[in-house]
């Protein structure tokens, strides 16, 4: 395991960075289970992320997110795709550190993230360019603390997965 403590790989990064698609492919390649935090939350609530935000607010969503993170981290090995804001919450950041997880930041340029998000309507924090850019700038300081970083710029998920596999993390 190259000195890593746990067989938990957390994919993090801003909205539209490809955490879900890269995670699913990586899990398939490794033969590990894949858990998408947002999908788990939606299934548990029987509601979309947008509906949860609208009905109960962001702070309730963050509670669900934290509980989903703890639950998803119970069994190893696993590939866990976080939401764009998960790693930014101190409680989650500390939990992941404590759990000894392998953190990988999917780092892509703002314009590309914006374009990818524009094709989907289930992101309540995707509003206008200004707030999107502001949130991105605020979060970089957290994302940069991931143990590993992979560039997603102009790349297909398969190519990103190939690079991650070349690192031989597990
Ligand atoms: C959020 C990102 C979303 C989802 C929720 C909040 C965020 O996940 O968890 O809308 O705070 O950036 P994606 O990064 O998968 O879009």
């Amino acid at each position: 395991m190259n000195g890593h403590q746990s067989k938990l790989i957390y994919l993090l990064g801003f909205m539209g960075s490809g955490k879900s698609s890269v995670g699913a492919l990586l899990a398939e390649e490794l033969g590990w289970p894949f858990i998408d935090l947002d999908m788990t939350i939606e299934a548990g609530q029987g509601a979309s992320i947008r509906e949860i935000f609208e009905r109960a607010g962001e702070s309730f969503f963050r509670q669900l997110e934290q509980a989903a993170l703890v639950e998803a981290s119970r069994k190893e090995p696993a590939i866990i795709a976080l939401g764009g804001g998960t790693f930014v919450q101190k409680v989650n950041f500390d939990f992941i550190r404590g759990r000894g997880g392998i953190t990988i930041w999917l780092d892509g340029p703002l314009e590309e993230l914006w374009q990818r998000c524009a094709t989907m309507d289930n992101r309540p924090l995707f509003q206008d360019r200004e707030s999107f850019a502001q949130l991105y700038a605020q979060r970089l300081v957290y994302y940069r603390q991931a143990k590993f970083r992979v560039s997603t710029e102009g790349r297909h998920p398969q190519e990103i997965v190939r690079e991650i596999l070349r690192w031989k993390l597990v």
Side-chain angles (χ1 to χ4, degrees):
M1 278 211 296
N2 286 340
H4 293 294
Q5 293 158 41
S6 79
K7 279 198 168 189
L8 288 171
I9 296 184
Y10 296 94
L11 298 177
L12 60 104
F14 205 59
M15 291 175 259
S17 58
K19 303 177 290 292
S20 304
S21 22
V22 169
L25 278 172
L26 183 60
E28 205 181 300
E29 289 289 335
L30 291 172
W32 289 13
F34 173 59
I35 302 162
D36 183 298
L37 232 52
D38 283 341
M39 281 174 64
T40 310
I41 295 167
E42 290 186 322
Q45 294 295 300
S48 71
I49 300 288
R50 181 174 289 286
E51 284 165 349
I52 299 168
F53 265 68
E54 281 169 5
R55 287 181 200 159
E58 181 172 349
S59 66
F60 180 66
F61 170 78
R62 296 297 171 201
Q63 288 171 36
L64 297 174
E65 183 178 51
Q66 191 198 332
L69 171 67
V70 172
E71 187 57 36
S73 308
R74 278 192 204 288
K75 281 193 196 142
E76 297 178 33
I79 306 289
I80 302 171
L82 303 179
T86 317
F87 200 59
V88 168
Q89 313 295 318
K90 189 176 183 320
V91 63
N92 299 334
F93 182 94
D94 291 345
F95 174 80
I96 291 170
R97 276 274 164 95
R99 195 67 185 76
I102 298 168
T103 44
I104 305 177
W105 172 28
L106 272 57
D107 178 20
L110 188 63
E111 184 56 31
E112 199 172 272
L113 297 166
W114 170 268
Q115 293 298 339
R116 290 208 192 125
C117 287
T119 62
M120 230 188 105
D121 187 36
N122 193 26
R123 291 190 171 100
L125 297 180
F126 173 73
Q127 290 156 6
D128 54 83
R129 275 183 189 265
E130 201 185 314
S131 64
F132 194 75
Q134 236 173 43
L135 196 60
Y136 174 77
Q138 282 167 16
R139 287 177 170 181
L140 278 179
V141 60
Y142 298 95
Y143 297 154
R144 285 189 179 125
Q145 293 182 64
K147 285 186 190 155
F148 301 91
R149 171 196 164 274
V150 63
S151 168
T152 61
E153 187 169 5
R155 299 170 93 187
H156 188 273
Q158 194 71 58
E159 207 185 322
I160 298 165
V161 167
R162 275 199 299 269
E163 179 175 343
I164 295 174
L165 290 172
R166 275 200 298 273
W167 299 341
K168 301 212 180 304
L169 298 176
V170 292

